[in-house]
Amino acid sequence: MTVAAVTPAREVMRTLPGDAVRQILWRFADRYELHMLVQSTRAVARGPVARLVASGERNNHEWTPAKNELLEAFDRAGITGVFMEPEHGGFLSGPKNLAMALVAFELAWVDGGAATGSLASGLALAPIHERGTPEQVEHYMRLAAPPQPGEDRRPWRGAFALTEPIPYVGVDTGLLSGKLSVAEWTEGSEPMLKVEKRGRFITNIGFANFVTAAVDSGDPRVKGTCMVILEEGDPGIFDRGTATKKLVHQLSSTGDPIFSLTIPASRIVGGYTVKDGVIVPNYNHSEVIEAVFRRTRVTVGLMTSAKLLSAVEPVIRYQRGRFRGAETATPGSVRYELGIQQREDALHRLVDVWASGEASASLGFAAARLFDEVDPLEIEKNAQLKEKGIAGGRAELKFWREVEQKTARLLALPSKDPAREELESDFFARYALLEAQANVLCPATKLWNTGVGVNMLREAVSLMGGYGITEDCPGYLANKWMDAQLEATYEGPEAVQRRQLSITMTNEVFLAQFRAWIKEMRGIASERPGTGACTLATAMTMWLWTLEYLQNAKDANGEKLYAGPRQGVTFPLADALCWLLASRCQILDVLELEARGPQDPVASEGLEGTVNFLRDLCHVQNARAAGEVSRICSELVYGYNRHPAWDTEGHKACFLDEELDAYEAIIPGMAASARDVVTIEGKHPLKAGPCAGCAGSVDFLHLQNKLATCLTGTRLAKDRAAEAVARVMIPEALDYPA
Ligand SMILES: Cc1cc2nc3c(=O)[nH]c(=O)nc-3n(C[C@H](O)[C@H](O)[C@H](O)COP(=O)(O)OP(=O)(O)OC[C@H]3O[C@@H](n4cnc5c(N)ncnc54)[C@H](O)[C@@H]3O)c2cc1C
């Protein structure tokens, strides 16, 4: 493409999207406390963190004094305090998912390890925050809060220990080898418990003062599993173990600790009761980690989004300056001004990286905001269920089944039907709706942002040529590429997220919501065709059709297709869904910017060009998502049927050349259109067998045809986006050191 070849009469983006634009896109424009948090976190990321990376501190595995200084920098910047309520020494009231997400995003923009280190203390506190007793919350939050001005105190740091040495934990978190037994229990006094736990790959362990650890009963007087709080001063062994020889995230501390400690039973997270001489924890470890991970995994997903978006500026700068200094590249020449950006492929590939970064950030921040909405409702839900006397057990299951059926029914009503208002006015219907979405968006963010993100980061690295895989590469892209693989792995690798999605995405409330989203996309497409929302709606319809088909169809051996053990069916379908969800969130964010941008004095500057560009990125990303969905769905719909062969059975579907001659006499042209013709000697066309058909394939092929034509215009959008990338102004130098 030459730049002159595409000359749309429309505004082109002038500068990279700045904070004002991001605040609107990710819906925190009205939250000034978050603006300040972003700024203070950014100062740490692009100051002390970047300096540590630039000085080679990632080249050793140990927790060094230089790395340790980051902890105080986090305290000073308010990062440590984000997790706490104001009454415990924090400064943000209300839910903190979006705030935590923004912190992780800013730190990971420069270094994923620094982001993980900052999050890990929150992860250690999360079991206490989510399920701890009021006393535990009060005690540990205060200890971990950053010192107030004038206060001479070191905050406690925490680590979260679930993973154990092989063969335990990993994906199957139900199997624990860590054990809890009674050490001493005298009548009328609190039991003392013995904890034996070995951890593997435990973040923050180099300096943690307390650890929240998952353990199983090793004693008939303790029932089931639970999480316990360990302190470094507890009697026994608190061995931090050797540092993990990580290739990634070296600015965080990771090791394999060994604990053999005696603790009071009051350290069981969430407390316990005693029944018939047995200690029964109020929450088993699965209940605690489920509540924790469903929030923290969103934040991890956003770390990879930050890396993708952070790659844009260094790549543009490299591409533009690539030939400067050569005799043939004189200032003012295309070669001098545009460098590699003269070439279409270089621009298109960068557009792809950028588009996936936007989509993943949109998905992740939508998920974080959703959890901010769910958090207070969850507390109220628990209180209301308790009041009704149906908290836990079968009664609660039955109650939710009825609520979900009602919610799905309401969602299916036309949008103008007054009965739909109940979705807002009925507390439980509203909760069921948000919960169904959160149960999908969280694993989708973790899975898609990190898994697809790591592959796209490889693309970003490749755009820098040899420079990309050196330590000198601005933006530390190779580090970010490798680091993203850890983000895809920890807090549960992809299989965990896919397994969860394969269940939550078939929830009837979610599917009813998904159908409403298809309509929503068609509506947007009629007013904003340039977003590619129509392409997305068709791809969403294809996904839904395929899910319903697979839920009812059987394979060539008569086995059910959509079933838990058939990960070959359920997992790819989960992947396909994530592409769709990310694209939908991306479109909604751009619409928000278009609507609210004009009122913002900063964002309104050059807004039209920015919106045009971001809209084109939506279109590009939708096309990619549609392609992925089409590929995955066709393989699943057709792939489990046995292909006909050139045998007696397969021949039944063929014409004999003799009978074709006879037909030709009656239906002229028949011979030319017949596909599979076999001679009397059994000779047949050179291919695997007669062409395959498939039950319901007409509907599927219709959708696929439609989807292909829906791609109309997507490459024009890519050309326009590429042109904008070649023109956009960038700062003279990156604002953190190489
Ligand atoms: C740097 C670092 C920091 C970490 N920090 C912590 C921490 O602070 N606290 C903590 O508790 N843990 C931590 N971890 C551990 C991390 O959470 C685990 O490594 C992760 O959950 C994966 O478990 P695993 O390594 O045992 O992989 P495995 O379970 O062995 O998985 C290997 C592969 O097999 C696949 N697989 C496994 N089981 C299945 C299945 N049932 N179905 C389909 N596929 C499957 C997985 O998807 C993966 O691709 C950390 C790890 C690292 C590397």
Side-chain angles (χ1 to χ4, degrees), residues 123 160-163 166 168-172 200-203 246 248-249 254 486 489-496 499 567 571:
L123 184 62
F160 172 91
L162 169 65
T163 308
I166 282 174
Y168 291 101
V169 191
V171 171
D172 292 310
R200 173 164 159 255
F201 305 150
I202 304 305
T203 307
K246 284 178 292 182
V248 294
H249 281 217
T254 314
L486 174 59
T489 300
Y490 72 2
E491 293 201 18
E494 280 121 307
V496 174
R499 204 166 52 181
Q567 296 180 344
F571 281 19

